[in-house]
Amino acid sequence: MKKWKYKAGSFIAAVVLFLMSGYVGWTISDAGEGTEVSTEASQGDTVLVGGMPIGIYMETDGVMVLDTASVTGIDGKEYEPAGNLVRSGDYIIAFNEKEITDKKQLINELKELKEEQVLLTLRRKGEELQVRVKPIECSPGEYKLGIWVRDNVQGLGTVTFMTGSSKFGALGHGIHDTDTNALLAVTGGTLYKTSIHSIQKGENGIPGSMEGIIVYNSYNCLGTIEKNTEAGIYGTIDKMEELFEEQIPVQTASAEEIEKGPATVRCFVEGEVKNYDIQVTDIDASGQEVNKGIVIQITDPELLEKTGGIIQGMSGSPILQNGKLIGAVTHVFVQDSTRGYGIFIENMLENL
């Protein structure tokens, strides 16, 4: 279930700018008691089941445009220099034909501006194009392009599983930009240790949420993120023992094996990962939406008391049935937080 919250992007100016990186959050999962096993024993259709919270940091592939805006020139007039030229969802990849990888570099290039116009190279829906924009002087020596941008995303999530080759899958849904609703194009990222410090229970059509703390340093680094897809995020775990303290191997199930009826969801609530009872109420094998193949309902009284059902942050929580991993929680029904969607685990495994 998505819980990607972003603060405003950065407004490109030639002087000190208000730079604000967004943050995101999902949550928690897991299976049950089992025998510890090494990664060498997890082969084929057997994986280590997840459920542990992780901190996530990813960088966009280029500088993502959130929107354009008007600016006040030194003459007191209003201008929108990038209007009708740059679109929300574009990625700025070059400034005067010099490669751009982040906001800081883009801002520094604008500070050194010597021309009346700048040539921006954009990636739009997979294709490259160039536009010329005339920066507006807003005060002596300060120029603005009138573009809000973002170059990274941060937040909390849950590992769903890890394979014998240390590859992981998490979230079960893609990370989309909340302003453009576009799937974020990323160059990669890092997994970090994290801790959940509070849970807000959902009520009256308002989803609950989990909040956590991430310390972004090399000591807390757990692995690398390699791609962001509609079926989740994927990469490699470097410190298996630190993340998978309890190594529980489970077989994965095909969509054909899933049936309506009892199942469990592994969630991290109040300091521990536990199994909670749910019902699989519907199965959609049509493939129309890659991350909404399973409909579930929380029935466990303990989980309902603690969270009210599925809360923001629960994306990636493993769903198990008949001893097998069948999928992961992806979305909540806003008007009924006891119900939500899950993704088939086979759809996640395809992305490995």
Side-chain angles (χ1 to χ4, degrees), residues 139-182:
S139 60
E142 175 193 349
Y143 292 85
K144 295 182 179 179
L145 292 173
I147 306 174
W148 291 95
V149 299
R150 171 179 297 131
D151 66 357
N152 67 70
V153 61
Q154 308 165 49
L156 304 176
T158 298
V159 169
T160 305
F161 65 86
M162 187 181 75
T163 69
S165 56
S166 297
K167 297 296 182 181
F168 77 87
L171 303 188
H173 64 69
I175 300 171
H176 291 71
D177 180 78
T178 53
D179 297 293
T180 67
N181 201 36

Side-chain angles (χ1 to χ4, degrees), residues 35-314:
T35 303
E36 292 197 359
V37 62
S38 67
T39 53
E40 285 73 18
S42 301
Q43 301 294 337
D45 61 352
T46 299
V47 298
L48 295 185
V49 70
M52 300 72 68
I54 48 173
I56 294 173
Y57 176 87
M58 297 194 304
E59 295 182 347
T60 60
D61 185 12
V63 178
M64 184 181 188
V65 175
L66 300 180
D67 204 354
T68 61
S70 61
V71 297
T72 304
I74 198 170
D75 58 3
K77 297 181 180 178
E78 293 291 316
Y79 299 89
E80 192 172 353
N84 300 318
L85 296 172
V86 178
R87 299 179 186 174
S88 175
D90 287 350
Y91 287 83
I92 301 172
I93 58 176
F95 183 101
N96 286 339
E97 301 189 328
K98 182 176 180 179
E99 183 182 8
I100 294 295
T101 59
D102 57 43
K103 291 182 296 190
K104 184 178 180 180
Q105 184 182 6
L106 182 59
I107 292 166
N108 287 338
E109 290 297 325
L110 191 54
K111 286 181 179 180
E112 302 298 324
L113 182 68
K114 295 180 174 61
E115 304 85 356
E116 288 191 1
Q117 292 187 334
V118 300
L119 180 66
L120 297 180
T121 304
L122 309 174
R123 186 175 64 252
R124 179 179 296 165
K125 296 182 179 179
E127 298 183 358
E128 291 188 13
L129 68 153
Q130 293 182 321
V131 297
R132 292 190 178 277
V133 180
K134 182 179 180 181
I136 301 301
E137 188 174 17
C138 298
S139 60
E142 175 193 349
Y143 292 85
K144 295 182 179 179
L145 292 173
I147 306 174
W148 291 95
V149 299
R150 171 179 297 131
D151 66 357
N152 67 70
V153 61
Q154 308 165 49
L156 304 176
T158 298
V159 169
T160 305
F161 65 86
M162 187 181 75
T163 69
S165 56
S166 297
K167 297 296 182 181
F168 77 87
L171 303 188
H173 64 69
I175 300 171
H176 291 71
D177 180 78
T178 53
D179 297 293
T180 67
N181 201 36
L183 183 72
L184 287 171
V186 300
T187 56
T190 306
L191 294 184
Y192 292 93
K193 294 179 184 178
T194 188
S195 60
I196 304 301
H197 63 76
S198 66
I199 293 176
Q200 300 297 321
K201 187 176 180 179
E203 57 183 13
N204 299 326
I206 301 174
S209 63
M210 294 185 181
E211 303 296 338
I213 298 172
I214 308 167
V215 179
Y216 295 100
N217 58 34
S218 58
Y219 175 78
N220 287 310
C221 178
L222 296 171
T224 56
I225 301 168
E226 294 158 12
K227 57 181 178 178
N228 174 37
T229 76
E230 292 290 1
I233 63 171
Y234 301 87
T236 303
I237 300 295
D238 297 324
K239 298 178 181 178
M240 183 196 74
E241 294 80 6
E242 294 189 29
L243 182 58
F244 286 79
E245 294 180 4
E246 186 180 18
Q247 298 168 26
I248 303 172
V250 296
Q251 284 190 308
T252 60
S254 65
E256 290 74 20
E257 294 178 77
I258 304 170
E259 57 190 26
K260 295 180 182 179
T264 58
V265 61
R266 285 181 61 82
C267 298
F268 183 92
V269 179
E270 295 187 344
E272 62 179 334
V273 177
K274 288 180 58 177
N275 283 8
Y276 297 95
D277 293 332
I278 66 171
Q279 288 282 322
V280 174
T281 61
D282 200 5
I283 303 164
D284 180 5
S286 68
Q288 291 183 342
E289 293 192 73
V290 69
N291 49 36
K292 294 183 178 180
I294 308 170
V295 179
I296 64 172
Q297 182 162 20
I298 306 297
T299 58
D300 195 292
E302 183 181 359
L303 185 58
L304 290 172
E305 174 62 28
K306 292 177 179 178
T307 67
I310 300 170
I311 62 175
Q312 292 181 337
M314 210 173 273

